[in-house]
Amino acid sequence: MVVSAVVVAGSFIWQGRVGFNMGDEGFLWYGVRQVQAGEVPIRDFMAYDPGRYYWSAALMSFFGSNSIVAFRLAGAVFQFLGLFVGLLMLPVVETMVGIMRRALAALVLTAWMFNWYKVYDTSVSLFLIGALALLAERPSRGRFFLAGVTVGVAALFGRNHGVYGLAGILGVAAYIGCMKRSVEGILSGLVYCAIGVVLGYSPILIMLAATPGFAEAYWESIRFVLDKGSTNLARPVPWPWTIPVRGVPPLTAAADLLTGVYYMAILLFGFAAPAWLFRSALLKKPVAPPLVAVSMLALPYAHYAFSRAELFHLSLGIFPFLVGTFLILTKLPRLAQRTTMLLIVSTSAIVVLPENPGWDCLVIERCVVMRIGGDDLSLQPLIAGFVSKLESTAADYAPEGEPFLVTPLWPAAYALLDRKSPMWDSHALFPRPPAFEQKEIERIKAAGPKFVLLLDQAVDDRDDLRFRNSHPLIYRYIQENFDPVEDGRWHPSIFQLLKAR
């Protein structure tokens, strides 16, 4: 616990007031502020699953603030809990070498949690590893129930985590059956597990039954994912042999190549670890419970990493592999242990240190201090410039708290300037059907924004994902009801500023 607290606190002191993501971080921060204002995630605004919003809102209310630093601090508390569980999975060796190994493991795991707004996802994967390790250690009805509760709670923070957790439980149950050569106790255990899932997920079940309008919005969010056929905008897998290196700075090329290597590693581990595990079970060779857990979660979480193949999503699906690697290296000869640890630490540093905002401002570019949501943050000059332009534009065209519309990429604008988004979808990346667009148009009409700032970008270099193509009805409504403004603040090749008629 001490190691987890020191590492997370150190990370927060170093970079808790550094950097700002106008997209995903702003999307979550805006949603948390809306929850504090009494709105309901998914029903009243586009959102992740509700758990992270209510966790953040509860802690921010306890802190007495809705600022960006309070928002990040709420995430850091969750991160501490996840890291604590993750380190519990490693064997305790009360020697200087063992303490150093645990400290290095903590630093590596924390470095891979480089997005404050995604520590919920990385920490939940560690919670699931802990619950499945307990189940593998002693597969009693009580532990099946506890595993089910953990999966249900995990699904509060992301339905995908619930699916991954269920897959892991079924895998552990199969392993137990192979070890015992019997299913005795497993079927009844799975019944207890199902009861635990219902209990863990009961806050959502209660909301579905008791919160007006939530059930319809919730089922619609599931239907949208099923119709879309994926949870993310897919990208080509960055296999090492596809990475361009000519003319690229050496460290950048190394980071890109190693990202591809890590993608290969998590996939190989995801298939090889369960195969080895079942072979051991058939040979009646016991395996350490944490290793059973990571083996059964590695492939499900590889799906998370491959759902949008890039470093950001790799960091969300890599934790079963990382914990598994730390567990395996303890069984190696001393020289192999040190070599493997050195490889993990050095490659992780090359890949993810540049993604940590504190490193960016320390090494890559000189950051500037700016007031964001009531707190002073050190920002990259480009982001600071965008924030300054947003503030001055709002002061000119929507003063005194009047509404505005910024779409599709900067939901942070609403949290920054304490406004409500005129659209339900504050981060309008995915194409929507005409009926949905028409509802959004009605919301825009009702809100009466004083200006619109359109970011005319081809997301992932896909022209079909430009706002004008992904949301043609809303785009046409804006063009027909707002007048273009010649404003030197916004470069016309990317931004289009329009004011209400």
Side-chain angles (χ1 to χ4, degrees), residues 118 121 160-161 164 300-308 313 316-317:
K118 285 294 187 179
D121 298 281
N160 59 325
H161 294 294
Y164 301 152
Y301 271 94
H303 169 269
Y304 202 0
F306 280 88
S307 68
R308 181 171 167 80
H313 280 83
L316 305 181

Side-chain angles (χ1 to χ4, degrees), residues 6 11 54 196 463:
V6 169
S11 176
Y54 288 108
D463 201 58

Side-chain angles (χ1 to χ4, degrees), residues 3 87 90-106 326 329-330 334 337-338 341:
V3 173
L87 293 181
L90 305 182
V92 177
V93 180
E94 295 298 338
T95 65
M96 184 59 65
V97 172
I99 293 171
M100 286 296 297
R101 186 192 303 137
R102 182 175 291 268
L104 287 173
F326 290 134
L329 72 82
T330 62
R334 179 169 296 182
Q337 283 187 31
R338 293 176 177 176
M341 180 60 83

Side-chain angles (χ1 to χ4, degrees), residues 292-313:
V292 174
V294 297
S295 297
M296 290 308 174
L297 286 171
L299 197 57
Y301 271 94
H303 169 269
Y304 202 0
F306 280 88
S307 68
R308 181 171 167 80
E310 49 165 17
L311 177 57
F312 177 86
H313 280 83

Side-chain angles (χ1 to χ4, degrees), residues 70-223:
F71 164 70
R72 290 177 176 179
L73 185 57
V77 174
F78 203 84
Q79 180 187 22
F80 157 71
L81 296 173
L83 183 61
F84 173 64
V85 172
L87 293 181
L88 281 179
M89 298 300 98
L90 305 182
V92 177
V93 180
E94 295 298 338
T95 65
M96 184 59 65
V97 172
I99 293 171
M100 286 296 297
R101 186 192 303 137
R102 182 175 291 268
L104 287 173
L107 289 171
V108 169
L109 294 176
T110 303
W112 278 94
M113 298 178 179
F114 55 81
N115 287 305
W116 288 114
Y117 46 95
K118 285 294 187 179
V119 293
Y120 299 99
D121 298 281
T122 52
S123 297
V124 163
S125 69
L126 294 170
F127 295 150
L128 288 172
I129 291 171
L132 266 61
L134 288 175
L135 176 60
E137 181 184 54
R138 191 170 70 245
S140 63
R141 290 177 176 177
R143 295 206 175 183
F144 267 106
F145 176 76
L146 177 62
V149 171
T150 305
V151 168
V153 172
L156 298 177
F157 291 85
R159 279 162 267 181
N160 59 325
H161 294 294
V163 174
Y164 301 152
L166 286 175
I169 286 176
L170 292 176
V172 172
Y175 163 78
I176 294 167
C178 288
M179 282 291 290
K180 290 184 173 183
R181 303 292 196 276
S182 170
V183 296
E184 182 181 355
I186 294 177
L187 294 180
S188 62
L190 290 174
V191 172
Y192 277 81
C193 176
I195 296 171
V197 171
V198 172
L199 179 62
Y201 203 58
S202 60
I204 295 295
L205 300 179
I206 293 170
M207 289 177 69
L208 289 170
T211 304
F214 179 74
E216 180 182 358
Y218 180 85
W219 298 123
E220 179 57 35
S221 69
I222 294 176
R223 189 160 46 245

Side-chain angles (χ1 to χ4, degrees), residues 33 41 49 89 98 120 133 158 175 177 187 206 213 227 241 263 314 362 369 381 420 450 465:
R33 289 170 66 106
D49 285 281
M89 298 300 98
Y120 299 99
Y175 163 78
L187 294 180
I206 293 170
D227 290 343
W241 54 86
Y263 263 103
L314 173 64
L362 180 67
V369 176
K420 177 176 169 57
K450 298 303 179 182
L465 293 179

Side-chain angles (χ1 to χ4, degrees), residues 347-376:
T347 57
S348 293
I350 292 171
V351 173
V352 300
L353 259 185
E355 303 299 319
N356 281 261
W359 182 266
D360 189 16
C361 287
L362 180 67
V363 174
I364 299 175
E365 57 185 328
R366 185 181 182 88
C367 290
V368 298
V369 176
M370 193 167 192
R371 197 77 174 168
I372 300 290
D375 292 307
D376 288 332

